[in-house]
Amino acid sequence: MIANKMQSLVANSSAIRAMFEEGKKMAAVVGAENVFDFSLGNPSAEPPAAVKEAILNILSEEPVNLVHGYMNNSGYEDVRKKIAESIQSEFGAAITEDNLIMTVGAAGGLNVIFKTILNPGDEVLTFAPYFAEYRNYCENFNASLTVVPADLNSFQPNLQACEQYITAKTKAVMINTPNNPTGVVYQEAVLRELAQLLLAKEKEFGTDIYLISDEPYRKLAYDGVKIPYVLEMYHNTFVGYSYSKALSLAGERIGYIVANSQMVDFKATMDALNVANRILGFVNAPSLFQRVIGRCLTAEVDVNIYKKNRDLLYQHLIECGFSCIKPEGAFYLFPKAPIADDKAFCNAAKKYNLLLVPGSAFGCPGYFRIAYCTDFDRIQRSLASFSKLAEEFNLSN
Ligand code: PLP
């Protein structure tokens, strides 16, 4: 019999699978081109040409043992060095390859961080709305996730509420900017205030509280908006990064963690991250793609593809009468549902072949998420469906 803990996890994944099955059924009736599946955050922009070129060149130029063999659990030193130098030059952060370990995407990186710092019974705080997997990752290590209620006016971290939620059991505070599901970029002033709050709480409780910034959408920002780099705002900070979205390589599972050198027990922490990467069964991040990243540090996906989608869809939703904060990054919109029951609303949307995700899946009921990482054509064709949905709920002005 499967483990007790797994039973509810399997039941939850069935809900996601059910949505996928629903899409397939819809496609059989109305044709795949008329299903407006906005449920999944799978990058639609192509990886930059430099990625394919790097793969081909690596396979013809680099020694087979180097490309495919085991290595230090932290990853190739030369690749880590190049990444560290690029972080140094972009953000002025005082780091080297010794601050950095290569991971199996952001998801692998977060599990490695949690394995390193969490004891059973510890609490991790995050801000609603949040990426639902965080709860599972905490529970992997018998720790729990506590969710600070959203600031619905801005979707910035709600610091006033946060202060009440931090206790002696709080081991870490997780942030995600640009945010999934809102697309909001957390402001520098808010992040600096959060850093001050954590320092004060460390003193008050005599504990270590880590700040973990999950940043798989860092490269997807629009209109020249700058995403503050939190690493050196606070001593006990980890930044988790991933190339899943930045280079549209979600299936290749490649990213890294970087830690602030001022962190308590820095050296022991880096050693522990290294061991955690090994014993969680990752062993090391995928070798070929580490080599690829080493050659593609300046490559970028064309973010204008997502910006064009955002602009069209946001404009249309507002014209239809939906209310929504204009996202500055990632590839999600998070409008307010016109009724309190976000699940009923998303069910109603299916009539118009729209697959949307209820905000309650992100700890923020009363809203819904649209993942606009899809073809521009499909977005154009979906507009009439959003209009009909708005009419059904009497939103039109
Ligand atoms: N964190 C957030 C906020 C995400 O949205 C995702 C994926 O959608 C991940 C982490 C996991 O990313 P990765 O593919 O790099 O593991």
Side-chain angles (χ1 to χ4, degrees):
M1 190 161 151
I2 64 169
N4 298 344
K5 236 182 169 180
M6 284 307 294
Q7 300 192 8
S8 60
L9 291 169
V10 172
N12 271 347
S13 338
S14 317
I16 298 165
R17 248 197 328 266
M19 176 95 107
F20 185 70
E21 291 302 322
E22 198 132 16
K24 278 210 300 202
K25 259 193 243 152
M26 253 182 210
V29 178
V30 297
E33 69 285 4
N34 295 316
V35 178
F36 308 121
D37 186 349
F38 293 111
S39 64
L40 272 185
N42 206 6
S44 54
E46 280 197 17
V51 168
K52 184 171 174 189
E53 201 180 311
I55 296 171
L56 296 175
N57 289 341
I58 290 163
L59 293 181
S60 62
E61 291 166 12
E62 298 196 18
V64 171
N65 288 351
L66 175 72
V67 179
H68 301 302
Y70 282 128
M71 69 191 78
N72 184 317
N73 303 122
S74 297
Y76 291 115
E77 195 170 325
D78 63 322
V79 174
R80 285 167 29 232
K81 190 167 190 300
K82 281 188 190 161
I83 296 173
E85 283 166 2
S86 78
I87 295 173
Q88 241 179 54
S89 79
E90 193 174 351
F91 307 111
I95 59 155
T96 71
E97 63 274 23
D98 296 336
N99 297 67
L100 201 140
I101 95 162
M102 302 304 293
T103 61
V104 178
L110 293 173
N111 277 280
V112 163
I113 294 172
F114 286 165
K115 177 87 179 161
T116 298
I117 64 170
L118 295 179
N119 289 310
D122 281 347
E123 285 179 10
V124 176
L125 289 196
T126 198
F127 298 93
Y130 68 97
F131 179 53
E133 293 286 68
Y134 291 164
R135 186 176 299 285
N136 297 329
Y137 300 162
C138 291
E139 288 174 2
N140 282 344
F141 306 101
N142 298 315
S144 61
L145 185 76
T146 302
V147 180
V148 179
D151 174 344
L152 297 175
N153 293 319
S154 67
F155 289 132
Q156 293 287 323
N158 185 345
L159 297 187
Q160 260 181 339
C162 180
E163 182 168 9
Q164 314 299 315
Y165 278 73
I166 298 178
T167 70
K169 284 191 183 168
T170 306
K171 195 60 178 283
V173 173
M174 292 256 313
I175 55 171
N176 165 223
T177 171
N179 185 263
N180 174 8
T182 63
V184 163
V185 171
Y186 291 175
Q187 290 162 0
E188 174 151 359
V190 175
L191 294 172
R192 291 201 180 277
E193 206 181 319
L194 174 61
Q196 287 310 310
L197 174 64
L198 297 187
L199 268 182
K201 289 290 174 183
E202 279 195 327
K203 273 211 187 103
E204 180 182 336
F205 296 116
T207 52
D208 297 320
I209 305 176
Y210 294 91
L211 177 60
I212 303 170
S213 188
D214 178 30
E215 304 188 351
Y217 301 98
R218 166 165 286 281
K219 294 290 175 190
L220 307 188
Y222 311 116
D223 309 320
V225 68
K226 289 265 173 293
I227 298 155
Y229 202 58
V230 81
L231 185 72
E232 293 191 322
M233 289 185 193
Y234 175 68
H235 64 142
N236 281 332
T237 300
F238 295 103
V239 173
Y241 184 78
S242 159
Y243 295 93
S244 289
K245 274 71 183 194
L247 295 180
S248 290
L249 294 175
E252 303 299 349
R253 315 306 305 133
I254 184 79
Y256 63 80
I257 299 163
V258 55
N260 184 324
S261 315
Q262 305 303 315
M263 173 176 290
V264 62
D265 295 336
F266 170 70
K267 174 86 180 54
T269 306
M270 295 312 298
D271 290 347
L273 291 171
N274 191 51
V275 172
N277 214 19
R278 191 187 91 222
I279 64 180
L280 285 172
F282 302 127
V283 183
N284 54 252
S287 56
L288 175 59
F289 274 82
Q290 290 192 48
R291 309 261 12 113
V292 169
I293 297 307
R295 290 178 182 233
C296 292
L297 286 172
T298 54
E300 287 180 5
V301 291
D302 181 1
V303 292
N304 282 320
I305 292 174
Y306 297 128
K307 178 179 150 47
K308 219 172 131 196
N309 290 355
R310 177 201 67 167
D311 289 347
L312 179 64
L313 204 45
Y314 173 78
Q315 191 59 34
H316 185 73
L317 291 169
I318 298 300
E319 279 166 17
C320 287
F322 285 100
S323 84
C324 181
I325 290 177
K326 189 170 186 181
E328 292 183 310
F331 39 48
Y332 306 108
L333 285 151
F334 199 60
K336 192 165 172 26
I339 51 172
D341 187 342
D342 51 331
K343 290 181 187 155
F345 175 73
C346 291
N347 263 332
K350 288 179 194 160
K351 274 204 290 290
Y352 310 108
N353 305 329
L354 291 167
L355 291 178
L356 312 171
V357 184
S360 41
F362 307 94
C364 197
Y367 289 77
F368 62 100
R369 189 188 79 171
I370 302 173
Y372 58 78
C373 39
T374 184
D375 303 341
F376 186 70
D377 278 5
R378 192 176 296 268
I379 294 196
Q380 280 180 314
R381 281 182 280 110
S382 74
L383 299 183
S385 288
F386 280 108
S387 301
K388 285 181 203 152
L389 184 63
E391 263 167 46
E392 177 179 334
F393 288 90
N394 299 315
L395 278 182
S396 306
N397 316 316

